[in-house]
């Protein structure tokens, strides 16, 4: 995440699009620099790394933290406590655990459900049919706000194939 790359990306975004800067692997001083340029949403995929940055940047009240990594059941409490958004929720079981923790600590995290749209053993997510069949049950879960769906495509796809899967996710 070089500053020049960030500025180039930001300059080309439509006004209604928000950029999530995935800061995994970058130090807190670079996050400060980009935050000073107006970037407020930062994504992290490893809890411990994120938590250390959050402590160093706790005076930056305009930063919104997103957890974008695979959710480990034993880290759900810490994730709910420290992130406003939780992407990559891949099961109703994890939604319910997040809900229970959120109720206990008085938070309402915003959730992105991860869909698995391609057969790739390295990618997780809820199957489309399972999401549809469990949707009525999912809507009843308290203390969370479902903000959308997300998917992680296999690495070896060309741009046309990637677009096709993203369109499928949007539908």
């Amino acid at each position: 995440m070089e500053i020049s790359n960030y500025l180039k990306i930001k300059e080309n975004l439509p006004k209604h699009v928000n950029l999530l800067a995935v800061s995994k692997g970058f130090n807190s001083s670079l996050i400060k620099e980009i935050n000073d340029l107006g970037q407020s949403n930062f994504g992290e995929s490893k809890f411990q790394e994120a938590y250390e940055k959050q402590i160093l940047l706790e005076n930056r009240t305009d930063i919104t933290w997103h957890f974008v990594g695979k959710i480990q059941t034993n880290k759900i409490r810490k994730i709910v406590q420290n992130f406003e958004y939780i992407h990559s929720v891949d099961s109703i079981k994890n939604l319910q655990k997040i809900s229970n923790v959120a109720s206990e600590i008085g938070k309402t995290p915003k959730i992105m459900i991860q869909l698995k749209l391609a057969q790739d053993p390295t990618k997780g997510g809820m199957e489309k049919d399972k999401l549809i069949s469990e949707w009525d049950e999912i809507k009843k879960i308290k203390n969370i706000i479902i903000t959308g769906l997300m998917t992680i495509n296999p690495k070896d796809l060309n741009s046309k194939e990637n677009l096709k899967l993203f369109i499928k996710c949007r539908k």
Side-chain angles (χ1 to χ4, degrees), residues 16-30:
H16 66 281
V17 173
N18 292 320
L19 181 64
L20 173 61
V22 177
S23 47
K24 165 188 153 185
F26 295 96
N27 65 39
S28 58
S29 61
L30 187 55

Side-chain angles (χ1 to χ4, degrees), residues 25 45 51 78 80 94 96-97 104 106 110 124 127 130 138 149 160 162:
S45 63
Y51 186 65
K78 292 176 179 178
V80 172
N94 280 347
Q96 290 167 330
K97 287 181 179 185
E104 289 173 23
K110 296 170 185 80
E127 298 290 338
K130 187 168 180 96
I138 289 170
L149 304 174
K160 216 175 215 179
N162 271 316

Side-chain angles (χ1 to χ4, degrees), residues 91-135:
S91 69
I92 194 163
K93 181 179 102 182
N94 280 347
L95 283 171
Q96 290 167 330
K97 287 181 179 185
I98 290 167
S99 170
N100 292 340
V101 170
S103 175
E104 289 173 23
I105 65 174
K107 284 189 80 176
T108 309
K110 296 170 185 80
I111 304 292
M112 300 277 292
I113 296 175
Q114 181 174 344
L115 281 180
K116 183 173 183 137
L117 297 173
Q119 294 309 312
D120 180 346
T122 66
K123 305 292 184 257
M126 206 182 251
E127 298 290 338
K128 181 184 97 173
D129 293 340
K130 187 168 180 96
L131 174 67
I132 290 168
S133 70
E134 293 184 347
W135 184 245

Side-chain angles (χ1 to χ4, degrees), residues 151 153 161-171:
T151 188
N153 293 345
E161 293 167 322
N162 271 316
L163 182 60
K164 185 177 176 182
L165 285 178
F166 286 130
I167 288 170
K168 187 175 181 180
C169 184
R170 185 174 178 98
K171 287 181 180 179

Side-chain angles (χ1 to χ4, degrees), residues 138-154:
I138 289 170
K139 288 190 305 187
K140 294 176 188 171
I141 298 174
K142 307 271 188 238
N143 311 306
I144 62 171
I145 299 169
I146 307 279
T147 61
L149 304 174
M150 56 86 63
T151 188
I152 301 174
N153 293 345

